[in-house]
Amino acid sequence: MTDGRDNGQGRFVSAQAVAERAGVSRSAVSRAFTPGASIAPATLARVHEAAAALGYQVNDLARGLLANRSRLVGLVTSDADTPFRAQMIAALSQALIERGNMPAIINIGTTTEDIANASRQLLRYRAEATVFLSGSPPESLVELTRRNGQPLILINRAETGLDSVHCDDRDGAQQAFGILSMTGARRFAVINKEDPSPSLAVRERAFAEFAAASGFKPTIVRAGHSDYDGGQEAARQLLARGPAPDAIFCVNDLMAFGTLDHLRGAGLRVPDNVSVIGFDDVPIAAWASYRLTTLRQDPRRIAREVVSILDRRLSDPDLPPISVHIPVELVVRETVKTRRQEARLRK
């Protein structure tokens, strides 16, 4: 097995080269880099000195393949460049690296075949687990990974029979309706996308239920995409239908940004004429141009829960499905009318 790193001449420094420089056997080099292996302290010191001089690094991928399991963990996602998804990938990568894993980020399309191809590649590399940040794994793929002993962990999805971590979308929708109703709003609206993900669908449905329980029927508007342009598109549709609402719940921050800019361009003042709330609390939400009131998901906490589930699943593969709900936090800024803002406006 030739493991190491490039020596500047297009070849990798091998364990054999380290052994020759240290004057030890090839097996001694292997033991020197295997935690808990038996090796004399003097031999260990010579091997490490030789490795440092040559720039040698252990090839963990090759070791993992020989052991029939690598330290790779696949992160399967789409739209990896969107703000919250990028935060989630960064948090997961850091948590997995701290655990001793190597994250393999696969940015895919949304079709079943895209997802299946990505997952088959991870199986070929003996990935320790696969984390799905988007896309619903088909039944055949779930069964394939189970037969191969590879755990699947879903984020913000609710398929039964699989380990999952998701934010409490329903509670977030309740908090959103609660703060919007406190403004005295009578005309509510929800902005979502066509064919929403399970998480976005829960947010819309729950908000409508809480509104109905208080005697309101919100207007539901859906755009083609759940991004900034989608928010602008939905806001255009909303204003074209008649009187503007006085409270809007956007299922994510990106749609809220597009909604805010279109409302302001149409001459409406936020929050004087209409209050707007988002979901996720991406960094842009705090920018002076938006100061968006929103519901915060904590990517680092989600990542910690993923790692915890992975540890539990690998130590006991027969555990029943693990499902973790993480609460969301209401972050009040300047796009929802509050008593403090009303007092400021009266001055």
Side-chain angles (χ1 to χ4, degrees):
M1 179 173 63
T2 58
D3 47 356
R5 70 171 180 84
D6 195 295
N7 62 5
Q9 298 177 343
R11 290 179 291 180
F12 286 87
V13 177
S14 68
Q16 184 59 43
V18 175
E20 292 172 0
R21 184 181 181 96
V24 300
S25 66
R26 169 64 179 78
S27 62
V29 174
S30 180
R31 292 196 304 276
F33 290 96
T34 301
S38 176
I39 184 171
T43 303
L44 179 65
R46 290 206 308 275
V47 170
H48 282 182
E49 182 181 350
L54 293 172
Y56 170 81
Q57 294 291 328
V58 174
N59 187 335
D60 283 328
L61 177 60
R63 279 190 168 186
L65 293 176
L66 288 176
N68 207 34
R69 171 166 284 166
S70 71
R71 299 294 287 171
L72 288 174
V73 172
L75 304 180
V76 180
T77 184
S78 60
D79 300 323
D81 56 347
T82 58
F84 182 74
R85 197 63 55 76
Q87 284 183 283
M88 194 68 257
I89 291 171
L92 282 166
S93 296
Q94 180 178 346
L96 289 167
I97 289 170
E98 290 175 355
R99 185 181 180 272
N101 290 107
M102 177 62 68
I105 301 167
I106 302 179
N107 190 29
I108 60 169
T110 57
T111 69
T112 297
E113 187 58 28
D114 289 332
I115 298 165
N117 286 338
S119 299
R120 281 194 291 265
Q121 289 295 327
L122 291 168
L123 284 173
R124 292 189 185 110
Y125 280 96
R126 302 295 190 270
E128 193 168 39
T130 296
V131 180
F132 281 90
L133 283 77
S134 60
S136 180
E139 287 291 331
S140 58
L141 176 59
V142 171
E143 184 57 31
L144 177 62
T145 53
R146 282 175 174 163
R147 286 201 306 268
N148 282 269
Q150 186 194 94
L152 297 181
I153 304 174
L154 310 181
I155 294 180
N156 283 338
R157 307 194 66 87
E159 284 85 352
T160 58
L162 293 173
D163 296 334
S164 61
V165 179
H166 31 96
C167 75
D168 196 335
D169 293 305
R170 186 173 179 81
D171 178 66
Q174 184 175 26
Q175 292 187 63
F177 177 74
I179 191 172
L180 290 175
S181 63
M182 289 175 63
T183 67
R186 309 296 296 176
R187 298 185 304 277
F188 294 87
V190 179
I191 285 181
N192 202 347
K193 66 166 290 190
E194 298 169 2
D195 300 321
S197 68
S199 186
L200 300 186
V202 169
R203 296 172 193 177
E204 174 192 310
R205 185 167 59 249
F207 187 92
E209 289 176 6
F210 291 119
S214 295
F216 300 102
K217 184 178 181 180
T219 301
I220 309 296
V221 181
R222 300 187 184 94
H225 301 282
S226 57
D227 56 11
Y228 177 88
D229 291 339
Q232 287 206 318
E233 175 191 338
R236 280 194 295 271
Q237 293 182 39
L238 190 58
L239 296 184
R241 292 187 180 187
D246 42 25
I248 302 175
F249 172 46
C250 298
V251 296
N252 68 22
D253 288 348
L254 286 182
M255 299 196 84
F257 300 147
T259 296
L260 285 169
D261 284 345
H262 185 77
L263 293 174
R264 290 163 174 164
L268 293 170
R269 298 193 307 273
V270 179
D272 303 353
N273 303 132
V274 54
S275 291
V276 178
I277 188 169
F279 208 114
D280 290 336
D281 194 30
V282 300
I284 301 172
W287 288 10
S289 55
Y290 290 114
R291 299 294 299 159
L292 176 68
T293 294
T294 185
L295 285 308
R296 175 182 293 158
Q297 295 194 68
D298 186 345
R300 288 176 294 182
R301 181 170 176 184
I302 294 172
R304 289 196 300 270
E305 293 293 349
V306 167
V307 168
S308 176
I309 289 175
L310 179 57
D311 288 337
R312 293 163 64 187
R313 178 58 58 200
L314 291 175
S315 64
D316 187 354
D318 296 323
L319 279 175
I322 303 167
S323 181
V324 177
H325 284 76
I326 297 177
V328 295
E329 175 189 356
L330 178 64
V331 181
V332 179
R333 294 194 179 99
E334 297 176 7
T335 59
V336 172
K337 189 186 302 181
T338 63
R339 290 176 182 174
R340 182 191 306 171
Q341 288 167 323
E342 287 178 337
R344 176 176 54 81
L345 290 171
R346 285 195 295 267
K347 290 181 179 178

